[in-house]
Amino acid sequence: MIRPLAYCNNLSHIRSSIDCIDYRIIELLAQRAEYVQQAAHYKSSLEEVKAEQRVINMLEQRNEWAYSFNIEGKLVESIFQSIINHFINKETEIFHEQS
């Protein structure tokens, strides 16, 4: 359970909430992976898989989202660059299997 911060009365409460947040992040990454896998089936070229302009636009948007949540843009960009690179590699594998 993610306990509201105002009700975290000790370190155990905070750590337990962090663990729950991390679990949700991983759950969402798994869900994202399913969407990426499905998207790979709609792409007809490696250029579409790499989608360089899309990546640039995504990183800019995630940076704006980070700013709106008062989170360091460099942290968010680093995380999403890693996620995007991982999934581009996965999509590339799927693309080659389909070809």
Side-chain angles (χ1 to χ4, degrees), residues 8-93:
C8 289
N9 300 322
N10 57 52
L11 187 55
S12 178
H13 290 166
I14 291 171
R15 287 181 173 164
S16 175
S17 294
I18 289 171
D19 290 345
C20 288
I21 291 167
D22 289 350
Y23 180 87
R24 285 191 183 173
I25 291 169
I26 292 168
E27 183 178 41
L28 289 169
L29 282 172
Q31 186 177 6
R32 188 184 197 283
E34 292 174 2
Y35 279 88
V36 169
Q37 186 172 6
Q38 186 66 27
H41 297 291
Y42 294 102
K43 297 180 181 180
S44 59
S45 70
L46 282 176
E47 289 75 28
E48 281 187 294
V49 170
K50 293 177 184 176
E52 293 175 9
Q53 188 59 49
R54 164 84 172 135
V55 171
I56 291 167
N57 294 343
M58 287 174 65
L59 292 173
E60 287 174 359
Q61 185 179 50
R62 273 75 181 153
N63 194 39
E64 290 172 14
W65 293 344
Y67 180 78
S68 72
F69 284 101
N70 200 28
I71 297 175
E72 232 180 282
K74 287 183 181 188
L75 170 64
V76 171
E77 183 174 344
S78 174
I79 291 167
F80 274 95
Q81 187 67 66
S82 180
I83 290 169
I84 291 165
N85 288 342
H86 172 80
F87 285 120
I88 287 173
N89 290 337
K90 287 291 186 185
E91 280 189 82
T92 301
E93 289 174 18

